[in-house]
């Protein structure tokens, strides 16, 4: 009896984001699981996605593999392939909706099956998921990235808290185990589940860091800092912009470092954009970059005096681990999840302490950048490769099988 279950891996998020030149953290996670299974265990995976009709359908394997590889090339900087990726996604979904039915897990020699949903993409569609689980005799193992819209509704779009409650209720009703990226998220999920469901297995699997060839730092004669993340209130960009305005007014534009904001524009960010676009002191000093490939972002980080990460709340914080992997100094918010990631390798400042941030930034501007690199302190951080992290997630699924949890509770 095979211990490893058959896996139906949902890549709906990648399809919805087809052609995007910069992956979000969740995009990266979905890709890394797909990439790992393609390389190491392709015989036990079927890629699936939710159709416009709300039905979870199997994707032609060869087309799914081609789509994933095209996506990877776009992220590596081959932006001329964006249209090809979008076309591949469209044709793949069309073929899936009118193509073959699912291959039963038993046909591949597996007596158990898992529906692995790594994004929140359609967790609020409980009926679609339940019908799929019943039809395929599969068990749901999702990844919950955070409960921020529920715990901090002020940072979400108006309808998002109710939508996220529906997602979490689907998890509590249908999941046989849950993967989370941090102890902080595990605690949030435990609090939410306290009066709804007891005993749900949860495994903390920190996210990985992209391994690759040596990157060349961006050549820039003027020192600069990088803030990496979607431009939205939760990321606390306003703190940095106000600090930069004060530094320019105090020292002059030629005597302060530049600030590079890397990330797409999100929501509820009118005040942030007004400062970026209309504040005279910030013109030529603060720059937006929202179309960089993975190598370009790495090069920006390598050339920077440091990463600035002043978020009020996060479920994880991939930019922090990515910067530290490159041995780039980081100043981040003094919140528990960042301590989980960085250990002693970062400088922590309360996200409301403007003067503390200014002192930390000015400290990083003194002396050589080599004097500020985390160096040996990196040993205290959680910086693992993506393959290792995917193996941890798959190991959790296999542990559920070995304990009989999946076998006993599948539909």
């Amino acid at each position: 009896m095979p211990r490893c279950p058959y896996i139906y891996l949902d890549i709906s998020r990648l399809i919805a984001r087809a052609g995007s030149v910069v992956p979000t953290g969740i995009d990266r996670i979905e890709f890394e699981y797909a990439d790992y299974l393609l390389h190491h265990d392709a015989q036990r995976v079927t890629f699936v996605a939710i159709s416009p009709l709300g039905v979870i359908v199997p994707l032609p394997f060869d087309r799914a593999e081609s789509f994933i590889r095209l996506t990877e090339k776009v992220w590596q900087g081959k932006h001329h392939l964006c249209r090809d990726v979008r076309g591949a996604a469209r044709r793949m979904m069309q073929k899936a909706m009118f193509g073959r039915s699912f291959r039963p897990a038993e046909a591949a020699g597996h007596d158990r099956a898992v529906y692995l949903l790594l994004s929140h993409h359609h967790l609020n569609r409980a009926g679609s998921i339940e019908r799929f689980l019943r039809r395929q005799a599969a068990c749901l193992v999702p990844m919950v990235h955070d409960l921020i819209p529920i715990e901090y509704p002020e940072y979400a779009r108006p309808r998002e808290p109710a939508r996220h409650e529906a997602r979490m209720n689907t998890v509590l009703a249908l999941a046989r185990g849950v993967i989370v990226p941090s102890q902080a998220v595990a605690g949030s999920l435990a609090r939410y589940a306290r009066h709804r469901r007891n005993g749900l297995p949860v495994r903390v699997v920190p996210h990985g860091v992209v391994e690759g060839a040596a990157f060349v730092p961006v050549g820039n004669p003027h020192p600069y800092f990088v803030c990496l993340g979607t431009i939205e209130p939760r990321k606390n960009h306003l703190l940095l912009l106000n600090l930069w305005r004060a530094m320019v007014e105090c020292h002059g534009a030629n005597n302060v470092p530049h600030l590079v904001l890397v990330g797409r524009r999100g929501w509820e960010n009118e005040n942030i954009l007004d400062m970026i676009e209309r504040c005279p002191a910030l013109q030529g000093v603060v720059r937006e970059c929202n179309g960089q490939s993975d190598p370009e972002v790495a090069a920006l980080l390598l050339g920077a005096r440091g990463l600035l990460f002043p978020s009020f709340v996060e479920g994880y914080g991939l930019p922090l681990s990515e910067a530290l992997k490159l041995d780039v100094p980081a100043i981040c918010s003094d919140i528990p999840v960042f301590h989980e990631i960085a250990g002693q390798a970062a400088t922590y400042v309360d996200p409301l302490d403007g003067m503390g941030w200014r002192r930390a930034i000015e400290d990083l501007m003194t002396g050589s950048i080599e004097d500020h690199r985390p160096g040996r302190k990196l040993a205290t951080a959680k910086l693992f490769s993506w393959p290792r992290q995917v193996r941890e997630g798959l190991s959790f699924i296999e542990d559920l099988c070995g304990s009989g949890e999946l076998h006993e509770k599948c539909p």
Side-chain angles (χ1 to χ4, degrees), residues 6-8 46 48 55-58 100-107 110-115 128-139 410-411:
Y6 197 76
I7 293 176
Y8 297 106
T46 289
V48 304
V55 178
I56 298 170
V57 296
R100 65 178 179 84
S101 59
F102 277 96
R103 180 190 188 193
E106 293 87 344
H110 296 259
D111 66 337
R112 305 172 196 182
V114 167
Y115 173 47
S128 297
I129 294 173
E130 191 167 18
R131 285 189 293 273
F132 173 80
L133 298 177
R134 190 181 307 114
R135 185 169 67 247
Q136 297 307 125
C139 295
C410 283

Side-chain angles (χ1 to χ4, degrees), residues 261-279:
L261 306 179
V262 181
R264 62 188 176 87
R265 295 184 173 188
W267 49 89
E268 304 289 343
N269 57 16
E270 291 82 4
N271 291 343
I272 305 169
L273 300 183
D274 283 345
M275 282 202 69
I276 294 172
E277 296 172 353
R278 297 166 52 194
C279 177

Side-chain angles (χ1 to χ4, degrees), residues 121-177:
H121 185 273
H122 50 271
L123 266 175
N124 57 321
R125 305 185 72 164
S128 297
I129 294 173
E130 191 167 18
R131 285 189 293 273
F132 173 80
L133 298 177
R134 190 181 307 114
R135 185 169 67 247
Q136 297 307 125
C139 295
L140 171 64
V141 177
M143 180 178 286
V144 170
H145 297 272
D146 60 67
L147 281 81
I148 291 171
I150 297 172
E151 296 181 310
Y152 301 91
E154 64 272 25
Y155 296 134
R157 295 182 179 94
R159 293 188 297 174
E160 192 62 13
R163 287 170 56 85
H164 209 62
E165 282 199 23
R167 296 182 190 112
M168 295 305 101
N169 290 341
T170 299
V171 170
L172 298 183
L174 300 177
R176 299 305 178 235

